[in-house]
Amino acid sequence: MQFDRLDRWLGPCLMLLAVTWLWLAYTYIPGARSETEAGPRAFPVLLGFVLLGLGAIVTVSAFLAPREARAEKKLPAVMRREVFIVAGTFGLLMLYGFLLERAGFVISTPLMIVLTMRVLLRGMSWILTAALAAGTTLCCWLLFAVLLEAPLPRGSWRWLFF
Amino acid sequence: MNFLVRIAVVAAALLAAGTSVAQSTASYPTRPVRLVVPFAPGGTNDAIARIIAEKLALRLGQPVVVDNRGGANMVVGSEIVVRANPDGHTILIVGAGYAVNPSLRRKLPYDSLRDFAPIGLVASGPYVMVVHPSVPAKTVGEFIAWVRSRPGQVNYASTGTGSPPHLAAELFKVAAALDMQHIPYKGGGAVLPDLLGGRVSLFFGSVSTLKPQVQAGKLRGIAVTTKKRSPAMPELPTFIESGVKGYEVTGWYGLLAPGKTPPAILDRLNRELQQVLNDADARKRLARRGLEAAPGTAADFSALIRSEIPKWAKVMQAAGVKPE
Amino acid sequence: MATTLGTVVGLVIGSIPGLTFSMALALMLPFTFGMQPVPAIAMLLGVFVGGMTGGSVSAILLGIPGTPSAAATVFDGYPMALQGKAGQALGAAVMASAFGGLFSLLVMILLLEHVAAVAIKFGPAEIFALVLFGLSTICGLAQESMVRGLVAGVIGLMLMIVGLDELDGVARLTFGTVQLQQGVNLLVAMIGLFAVPQVISAFIDHGRAAPAKMPENVRAQFPSMKDLRDRLWLMVRCAGIGTGIGAIPGTGGPIAAFLAYDHARRFSGSPQNFGKGELSGVVAPETANNAVTGGTMIPLLSLGIPGDPATAVILGGLLIHGLHPGPMLFRTHLGTIYALYIAIVLAYVVILIVQLWGIRLFVRVLQVPPHLLAVCIIVLCVLGSYAIRNSVFDVYLMGIMGLIGYLFQRIRIPIAPVVLGLVLGETLEQQYRTALILSEGSHSIFFESGVALVFFALTALTVGLQVWSASRRRAAVQA
């Protein structure tokens, strides 16, 4: 995709974001209690308008950009694999958090590593996977729980039974 | 996939066995006790929790782990404890602000009275009224007269809307019919520079923060908010002595457990807490922060919370703070 | 002995993203209960100083700041590591840290009363002006386009709005959830923004036909004395910036590091090299953020004012041992104070020994294939963001920030200004509002103060210069 074509999308998107933000701010944040204070809403509203203005600048300059400048900057194309990895990494992060709360650190960490190695990075050997899973879990456990006495999530199985 | 399922089943079975053992109260505590501090590390609440945790662990025979869950004026930490297993292995330490939350927020994720069982009060202490030395008042009476001569022009600092220092000052405004401007700050550390620099005139704060400043002459101590004088700053009179009738604010810290914790466990915890509070070393460390150990029954603590909630609701209303 | 232990703990914790030294200090505090006052406080100071230094290790090696103060170190430190100059960057960071820390200690010893007297003059209006000046460095951090830099900065500021407004006790854009009332934690956001895009890139590169680019030369090569001697004057200036900012309560390490970074770039002969692995870009923020340690001790010891959460814990430690900071401390416990000064010097000696020895080990991290390293980084990031507030919610938040970070990278919105917005947003808004409440709504409070006016002028100058040079560059391209 070309740089300025991207901006033709980015500009309106930013403006939309700004308008949504302003709407949220006016709806959900109470204004100042008295005339003499700035109140909790002043800053959010100011930021909303600044973003709106910046979005407008991006939009306008994208449509007005000189023709020669357009060809210069190109963005790498989006590949299907990229989408898969981005979504996969994000999904795994969420899953990891979810599992930490329920299954605890000791179970979810190796599971997470195995999933990452087998699903996201295909073709990793089982031996390497197992070694990394065990090693990382052990190291993190030593570091956090033993050395630093930081409480690691132990997990709660109550959700299974109640 | 198959073996993962098997692991999960085995682990679940083990954990289920663990919880059923924990249900029997006779052997309490069976594992480390988690003491949730609803503040980030570093504050008074945190410091008290760490003193108590160390001593309590010796008596319970299990480690007491301090778990900081700061945020949203104690609500985040409190909610975690409400949701925890009510088996005495998760307890909470709260400050005076706990009784303010019901009137500060319309929606709390718990009922402040029903969802918690009091274990006991830990410590209490006064707030100290201090002014910048440029203020020409040395007593409460002089200060009232000075403010009345300049309505709306005198400002006072607090550690945030609905914080105990804010309420102590608001109660003072109501009791003495004063007109002063409220300046909220983010925490006690943020107040000091402006207070020492004379940009704000009045502040109600803790002994540990203000005593060194008063001793050094950077601030002037006027009075303490408790019923009796504070052993930490005995030279300061109380408000009642100074002629402000019925004015009394106590900063307190106490332990709570989830509402459904068995009474036997609550009793045990209260018993051990009393021992801890009679420990000379614990008392000494609390005293260094200007606090007095406050032994007492769970019922005493419950009564305190019940009297504080309506008291602050009234003050908040007078101050014009609407619940969120 | 206590100092050594404290320093090592600080170094370890500082280098792990998500474990902050304020948390480390709180963890160490109970251990000091039974100790004599001097070793106890010395240990706490060791953690503080070590943590501040340790943050640079993961910033340089992994591109993830171990502490917020090390965020500015990433911009040039990480590129250096990718170029195989990790040893140089780490070595320079340690030397700069020690220099900054000792410089600020010297300032503290010699000018304590004077600096404290000036620092107390900084009211909300002055701090607002200072922070606004800090924000103007967005111009320098925005690489290709100023507008995109500003967009990023505004989004960073917006993220900081979410949560409980501490001044009025009002929940802002939390949609009724208690979890969001905690707000977007700075460190959680930084872990997500810096680490996740890298992890994703490492995964993507792994599948490519071309073998992942490995730094060829990972030998621990130290910076030459000449490298440092050439930058001595820069280090002195940055140490000055750090000490000064540290002394002003309510500011802190991240702001100092960003200002120093921008200062170094602006006054360098080759500003275009910054962001691509320029040694000065590591030296400047590392000098400044360690100089902050001495700076914050000034209001702490002389006035009893903790400037940030870390010093608040140290204050707690002092109180527990019956040392009440304030002017009286210097009359009653002068011996203790001198012992503490010596402890800080000792801490830096330990840092130099441990780090210079450790660098040989650290650089080996880079020999691990990037995709395997990425797997470990994920685990570390998740545990780190969990540990900050013991909250799984923060893990989710970190993931979302990571997604945003990667998206921004793809549409060429720079990350650095987002971080700057996050770092400065809260202070900026709170100081502005407090100033206005103090002045009863009159903006004249900002213009009556000479200090504030100086910073406003500097801000205008910075922005003006940037716009001017940008338009000149554009004219040159079109000609």
Side-chain angles (χ1 to χ4, degrees), chain C residues 225-260:
Chain C
M225 271 301 136
K226 185 177 173 300
D227 284 337
L228 289 178
R229 218 174 322 132
D230 287 348
R231 290 173 178 80
L232 187 64
W233 179 225
L234 174 74
M235 278 158 67
V236 171
R237 283 174 298 165
C238 291
I241 293 175
T243 315
I245 292 199
I248 301 167
T251 54
I255 300 180
F258 273 105
L259 277 176

mmCIF file of all heavy atoms in Angstrom, chain C residues 225-260:
data_model
loop_
_atom_site.group_PDB
_atom_site.id
_atom_site.type_symbol
_atom_site.label_atom_id
_atom_site.label_comp_id
_atom_site.label_asym_id
_atom_site.label_seq_id
_atom_site.Cartn_x
_atom_site.Cartn_y
_atom_site.Cartn_z
ATOM 1 N N MET C 225 37.852 4.478 26.406
ATOM 2 C CA MET C 225 37.889 5.645 27.279
ATOM 3 C C MET C 225 37.651 6.920 26.473
ATOM 4 O O MET C 225 37.066 7.873 26.954
ATOM 5 C CB MET C 225 39.260 5.710 27.960
ATOM 6 C CG MET C 225 39.296 4.951 29.263
ATOM 7 S SD MET C 225 38.065 5.612 30.393
ATOM 8 C CE MET C 225 37.352 4.147 31.064
ATOM 9 N N LYS C 226 38.071 6.863 25.210
ATOM 10 C CA LYS C 226 37.933 8.055 24.392
ATOM 11 C C LYS C 226 36.448 8.352 24.153
ATOM 12 O O LYS C 226 36.016 9.497 24.234
ATOM 13 C CB LYS C 226 38.651 7.841 23.051
ATOM 14 C CG LYS C 226 38.664 9.092 22.192
ATOM 15 C CD LYS C 226 39.440 8.861 20.900
ATOM 16 C CE LYS C 226 39.295 10.041 19.976
ATOM 17 N NZ LYS C 226 37.924 10.329 19.594
ATOM 18 N N ASP C 227 35.657 7.286 23.899
ATOM 19 C CA ASP C 227 34.223 7.470 23.702
ATOM 20 C C ASP C 227 33.616 8.251 24.862
ATOM 21 O O ASP C 227 32.784 9.136 24.683
ATOM 22 C CB ASP C 227 33.520 6.105 23.614
ATOM 23 C CG ASP C 227 33.754 5.447 22.274
ATOM 24 O OD1 ASP C 227 34.054 6.182 21.318
ATOM 25 O OD2 ASP C 227 33.641 4.209 22.204
ATOM 26 N N LEU C 228 34.036 7.870 26.057
ATOM 27 C CA LEU C 228 33.448 8.499 27.230
ATOM 28 C C LEU C 228 34.026 9.897 27.444
ATOM 29 O O LEU C 228 33.300 10.820 27.809
ATOM 30 C CB LEU C 228 33.695 7.646 28.472
ATOM 31 C CG LEU C 228 32.876 6.342 28.506
ATOM 32 C CD1 LEU C 228 33.225 5.528 29.739
ATOM 33 C CD2 LEU C 228 31.384 6.634 28.482
ATOM 34 N N ARG C 229 35.348 10.016 27.187
ATOM 35 C CA ARG C 229 35.954 11.329 27.410
ATOM 36 C C ARG C 229 35.341 12.369 26.473
ATOM 37 O O ARG C 229 35.081 13.489 26.852
ATOM 38 C CB ARG C 229 37.476 11.249 27.236
ATOM 39 C CG ARG C 229 38.202 12.120 28.255
ATOM 40 C CD ARG C 229 39.709 11.940 28.179
ATOM 41 N NE ARG C 229 40.111 10.559 27.932
ATOM 42 C CZ ARG C 229 41.008 10.214 27.005
ATOM 43 N NH1 ARG C 229 41.570 11.113 26.251
ATOM 44 N NH2 ARG C 229 41.348 8.953 26.837
ATOM 45 N N ASP C 230 35.049 11.926 25.247
ATOM 46 C CA ASP C 230 34.421 12.852 24.293
ATOM 47 C C ASP C 230 33.063 13.323 24.787
ATOM 48 O O ASP C 230 32.586 14.382 24.402
ATOM 49 C CB ASP C 230 34.212 12.149 22.938
ATOM 50 C CG ASP C 230 35.530 11.969 22.227
ATOM 51 O OD1 ASP C 230 36.521 12.576 22.684
ATOM 52 O OD2 ASP C 230 35.559 11.215 21.243
ATOM 53 N N ARG C 231 32.428 12.495 25.599
ATOM 54 C CA ARG C 231 31.081 12.831 26.035
ATOM 55 C C ARG C 231 31.044 13.363 27.465
ATOM 56 O O ARG C 231 29.966 13.458 28.050
ATOM 57 C CB ARG C 231 30.191 11.605 25.908
ATOM 58 C CG ARG C 231 29.919 11.248 24.456
ATOM 59 C CD ARG C 231 29.186 9.948 24.298
ATOM 60 N NE ARG C 231 28.905 9.679 22.891
ATOM 61 C CZ ARG C 231 29.791 9.177 22.038
ATOM 62 N NH1 ARG C 231 31.020 8.912 22.456
ATOM 63 N NH2 ARG C 231 29.456 8.958 20.786
ATOM 64 N N LEU C 232 32.223 13.665 28.013
ATOM 65 C CA LEU C 232 32.262 14.079 29.414
ATOM 66 C C LEU C 232 31.394 15.304 29.656
ATOM 67 O O LEU C 232 30.607 15.356 30.594
ATOM 68 C CB LEU C 232 33.713 14.363 29.827
ATOM 69 C CG LEU C 232 33.883 14.649 31.321
ATOM 70 C CD1 LEU C 232 33.499 13.424 32.131
ATOM 71 C CD2 LEU C 232 35.307 15.071 31.643
ATOM 72 N N TRP C 233 31.505 16.283 28.803
ATOM 73 C CA TRP C 233 30.760 17.525 28.982
ATOM 74 C C TRP C 233 29.266 17.251 28.867
ATOM 75 O O TRP C 233 28.450 17.757 29.632
ATOM 76 C CB TRP C 233 31.230 18.546 27.952
ATOM 77 C CG TRP C 233 30.540 19.879 28.004
ATOM 78 C CD1 TRP C 233 30.079 20.577 26.920
ATOM 79 C CD2 TRP C 233 30.246 20.681 29.154
ATOM 80 N NE1 TRP C 233 29.501 21.756 27.341
ATOM 81 C CE2 TRP C 233 29.588 21.843 28.710
ATOM 82 C CE3 TRP C 233 30.461 20.513 30.519
ATOM 83 C CZ2 TRP C 233 29.139 22.836 29.572
ATOM 84 C CZ3 TRP C 233 30.017 21.501 31.391
ATOM 85 C CH2 TRP C 233 29.370 22.652 30.904
ATOM 86 N N LEU C 234 28.888 16.365 27.911
ATOM 87 C CA LEU C 234 27.480 15.970 27.776
ATOM 88 C C LEU C 234 26.998 15.311 29.060
ATOM 89 O O LEU C 234 25.907 15.604 29.556
ATOM 90 C CB LEU C 234 27.327 14.995 26.606
ATOM 91 C CG LEU C 234 25.937 14.390 26.436
ATOM 92 C CD1 LEU C 234 24.975 15.414 25.871
ATOM 93 C CD2 LEU C 234 25.978 13.161 25.543
ATOM 94 N N MET C 235 27.850 14.432 29.625
ATOM 95 C CA MET C 235 27.458 13.741 30.838
ATOM 96 C C MET C 235 27.265 14.726 31.984
ATOM 97 O O MET C 235 26.335 14.580 32.776
ATOM 98 C CB MET C 235 28.503 12.677 31.200
ATOM 99 C CG MET C 235 28.307 11.387 30.414
ATOM 100 S SD MET C 235 29.781 10.373 30.290
ATOM 101 C CE MET C 235 30.058 9.849 31.945
ATOM 102 N N VAL C 236 28.137 15.716 32.069
ATOM 103 C CA VAL C 236 27.988 16.706 33.140
ATOM 104 C C VAL C 236 26.658 17.431 32.989
ATOM 105 O O VAL C 236 25.901 17.599 33.950
ATOM 106 C CB VAL C 236 29.164 17.717 33.127
ATOM 107 C CG1 VAL C 236 28.882 18.862 34.090
ATOM 108 C CG2 VAL C 236 30.455 17.018 33.477
ATOM 109 N N ARG C 237 26.341 17.831 31.754
ATOM 110 C CA ARG C 237 25.081 18.553 31.546
ATOM 111 C C ARG C 237 23.885 17.668 31.888
ATOM 112 O O ARG C 237 22.943 18.084 32.551
ATOM 113 C CB ARG C 237 24.986 19.036 30.102
ATOM 114 C CG ARG C 237 25.837 20.272 29.829
ATOM 115 C CD ARG C 237 25.821 20.637 28.366
ATOM 116 N NE ARG C 237 26.386 19.545 27.570
ATOM 117 C CZ ARG C 237 26.251 19.450 26.266
ATOM 118 N NH1 ARG C 237 25.555 20.337 25.598
ATOM 119 N NH2 ARG C 237 26.799 18.450 25.614
ATOM 120 N N CYS C 238 23.931 16.410 31.409
ATOM 121 C CA CYS C 238 22.806 15.522 31.676
ATOM 122 C C CYS C 238 22.678 15.202 33.161
ATOM 123 O O CYS C 238 21.575 15.083 33.687
ATOM 124 C CB CYS C 238 22.944 14.230 30.882
ATOM 125 S SG CYS C 238 22.719 14.517 29.131
ATOM 126 N N ALA C 239 23.824 15.069 33.845
ATOM 127 C CA ALA C 239 23.773 14.845 35.287
ATOM 128 C C ALA C 239 23.124 16.041 35.971
ATOM 129 O O ALA C 239 22.345 15.896 36.913
ATOM 130 C CB ALA C 239 25.171 14.598 35.832
ATOM 131 N N GLY C 240 23.431 17.231 35.457
ATOM 132 C CA GLY C 240 22.803 18.441 35.998
ATOM 133 C C GLY C 240 21.301 18.405 35.808
ATOM 134 O O GLY C 240 20.524 18.673 36.727
ATOM 135 N N ILE C 241 20.880 18.045 34.591
ATOM 136 C CA ILE C 241 19.444 17.950 34.298
ATOM 137 C C ILE C 241 18.787 16.967 35.262
ATOM 138 O O ILE C 241 17.759 17.258 35.884
ATOM 139 C CB ILE C 241 19.215 17.465 32.839
ATOM 140 C CG1 ILE C 241 19.693 18.527 31.840
ATOM 141 C CG2 ILE C 241 17.740 17.147 32.597
ATOM 142 C CD1 ILE C 241 19.617 18.079 30.382
ATOM 143 N N GLY C 242 19.417 15.784 35.409
ATOM 144 C CA GLY C 242 18.843 14.747 36.261
ATOM 145 C C GLY C 242 18.743 15.188 37.706
ATOM 146 O O GLY C 242 17.711 15.016 38.342
ATOM 147 N N THR C 243 19.826 15.783 38.229
ATOM 148 C CA THR C 243 19.804 16.204 39.628
ATOM 149 C C THR C 243 18.732 17.253 39.844
ATOM 150 O O THR C 243 17.955 17.188 40.794
ATOM 151 C CB THR C 243 21.175 16.791 40.039
ATOM 152 O OG1 THR C 243 22.193 15.939 39.537
ATOM 153 C CG2 THR C 243 21.290 16.913 41.524
ATOM 154 N N GLY C 244 18.675 18.216 38.935
ATOM 155 C CA GLY C 244 17.701 19.299 39.080
ATOM 156 C C GLY C 244 16.283 18.772 39.055
ATOM 157 O O GLY C 244 15.456 19.097 39.905
ATOM 158 N N ILE C 245 15.999 17.911 38.081
ATOM 159 C CA ILE C 245 14.632 17.397 37.965
ATOM 160 C C ILE C 245 14.296 16.483 39.122
ATOM 161 O O ILE C 245 13.194 16.521 39.657
ATOM 162 C CB ILE C 245 14.471 16.692 36.605
ATOM 163 C CG1 ILE C 245 14.564 17.780 35.553
ATOM 164 C CG2 ILE C 245 13.167 15.918 36.528
ATOM 165 C CD1 ILE C 245 14.023 17.465 34.235
ATOM 166 N N GLY C 246 15.287 15.692 39.545
ATOM 167 C CA GLY C 246 15.043 14.827 40.690
ATOM 168 C C GLY C 246 14.691 15.623 41.938
ATOM 169 O O GLY C 246 13.877 15.198 42.747
ATOM 170 N N ALA C 247 15.287 16.794 42.078
ATOM 171 C CA ALA C 247 15.070 17.590 43.283
ATOM 172 C C ALA C 247 13.680 18.197 43.330
ATOM 173 O O ALA C 247 13.207 18.573 44.394
ATOM 174 C CB ALA C 247 16.121 18.694 43.383
ATOM 175 N N ILE C 248 13.014 18.297 42.178
ATOM 176 C CA ILE C 248 11.686 18.895 42.162
ATOM 177 C C ILE C 248 10.658 17.801 42.431
ATOM 178 O O ILE C 248 10.505 16.888 41.627
ATOM 179 C CB ILE C 248 11.396 19.560 40.810
ATOM 180 C CG1 ILE C 248 12.438 20.636 40.536
ATOM 181 C CG2 ILE C 248 10.000 20.144 40.784
ATOM 182 C CD1 ILE C 248 12.423 21.124 39.109
ATOM 183 N N PRO C 249 9.959 17.865 43.563
ATOM 184 C CA PRO C 249 9.016 16.799 43.879
ATOM 185 C C PRO C 249 7.921 16.729 42.819
ATOM 186 O O PRO C 249 7.475 17.751 42.300
ATOM 187 C CB PRO C 249 8.415 17.237 45.216
ATOM 188 C CG PRO C 249 9.340 18.265 45.754
ATOM 189 C CD PRO C 249 9.984 18.917 44.577
ATOM 190 N N GLY C 250 7.525 15.541 42.469
ATOM 191 C CA GLY C 250 6.422 15.379 41.535
ATOM 192 C C GLY C 250 6.893 15.169 40.113
ATOM 193 O O GLY C 250 6.089 14.991 39.214
ATOM 194 N N THR C 251 8.194 15.200 39.874
ATOM 195 C CA THR C 251 8.691 14.898 38.530
ATOM 196 C C THR C 251 9.330 13.511 38.578
ATOM 197 O O THR C 251 8.668 12.593 39.003
ATOM 198 C CB THR C 251 9.668 15.973 38.054
ATOM 199 O OG1 THR C 251 10.686 16.105 39.025
ATOM 200 C CG2 THR C 251 8.965 17.291 37.874
ATOM 201 N N GLY C 252 10.544 13.328 38.172
ATOM 202 C CA GLY C 252 11.157 12.019 38.363
ATOM 203 C C GLY C 252 11.974 11.511 37.197
ATOM 204 O O GLY C 252 12.168 12.205 36.199
ATOM 205 N N GLY C 253 12.423 10.265 37.341
ATOM 206 C CA GLY C 253 13.352 9.645 36.406
ATOM 207 C C GLY C 253 12.956 9.684 34.941
ATOM 208 O O GLY C 253 13.759 10.086 34.096
ATOM 209 N N PRO C 254 11.732 9.242 34.590
ATOM 210 C CA PRO C 254 11.383 9.198 33.162
ATOM 211 C C PRO C 254 11.479 10.568 32.487
ATOM 212 O O PRO C 254 12.007 10.692 31.383
ATOM 213 C CB PRO C 254 9.938 8.694 33.167
ATOM 214 C CG PRO C 254 9.772 7.985 34.453
ATOM 215 C CD PRO C 254 10.663 8.673 35.426
ATOM 216 N N ILE C 255 10.983 11.607 33.169
ATOM 217 C CA ILE C 255 11.010 12.940 32.571
ATOM 218 C C ILE C 255 12.457 13.381 32.360
ATOM 219 O O ILE C 255 12.823 13.890 31.298
ATOM 220 C CB ILE C 255 10.255 13.950 33.467
ATOM 221 C CG1 ILE C 255 8.800 13.514 33.627
ATOM 222 C CG2 ILE C 255 10.341 15.354 32.907
ATOM 223 C CD1 ILE C 255 7.961 14.417 34.483
ATOM 224 N N ALA C 256 13.278 13.143 33.378
ATOM 225 C CA ALA C 256 14.681 13.543 33.282
ATOM 226 C C ALA C 256 15.364 12.830 32.116
ATOM 227 O O ALA C 256 16.100 13.438 31.338
ATOM 228 C CB ALA C 256 15.405 13.231 34.594
ATOM 229 N N ALA C 257 15.073 11.524 31.976
ATOM 230 C CA ALA C 257 15.732 10.762 30.929
ATOM 231 C C ALA C 257 15.317 11.265 29.544
ATOM 232 O O ALA C 257 16.149 11.421 28.653
ATOM 233 C CB ALA C 257 15.382 9.277 31.087
ATOM 234 N N PHE C 258 14.044 11.543 29.360
ATOM 235 C CA PHE C 258 13.579 12.041 28.064
ATOM 236 C C PHE C 258 14.182 13.409 27.743
ATOM 237 O O PHE C 258 14.612 13.664 26.621
ATOM 238 C CB PHE C 258 12.049 12.141 28.035
ATOM 239 C CG PHE C 258 11.391 10.857 27.627
ATOM 240 C CD1 PHE C 258 10.755 10.059 28.554
ATOM 241 C CD2 PHE C 258 11.415 10.441 26.302
ATOM 242 C CE1 PHE C 258 10.154 8.873 28.172
ATOM 243 C CE2 PHE C 258 10.813 9.262 25.912
ATOM 244 C CZ PHE C 258 10.180 8.469 26.851
ATOM 245 N N LEU C 259 14.194 14.277 28.750
ATOM 246 C CA LEU C 259 14.759 15.610 28.511
ATOM 247 C C LEU C 259 16.235 15.515 28.156
ATOM 248 O O LEU C 259 16.713 16.203 27.248
ATOM 249 C CB LEU C 259 14.567 16.500 29.745
ATOM 250 C CG LEU C 259 13.206 17.184 29.855
ATOM 251 C CD1 LEU C 259 13.105 17.961 31.156
ATOM 252 C CD2 LEU C 259 12.983 18.132 28.678
ATOM 253 N N ALA C 260 16.956 14.634 28.865
ATOM 254 C CA ALA C 260 18.392 14.501 28.600
ATOM 255 C C ALA C 260 18.616 13.940 27.204
ATOM 256 O O ALA C 260 19.518 14.379 26.476
ATOM 257 C CB ALA C 260 19.032 13.595 29.657
#
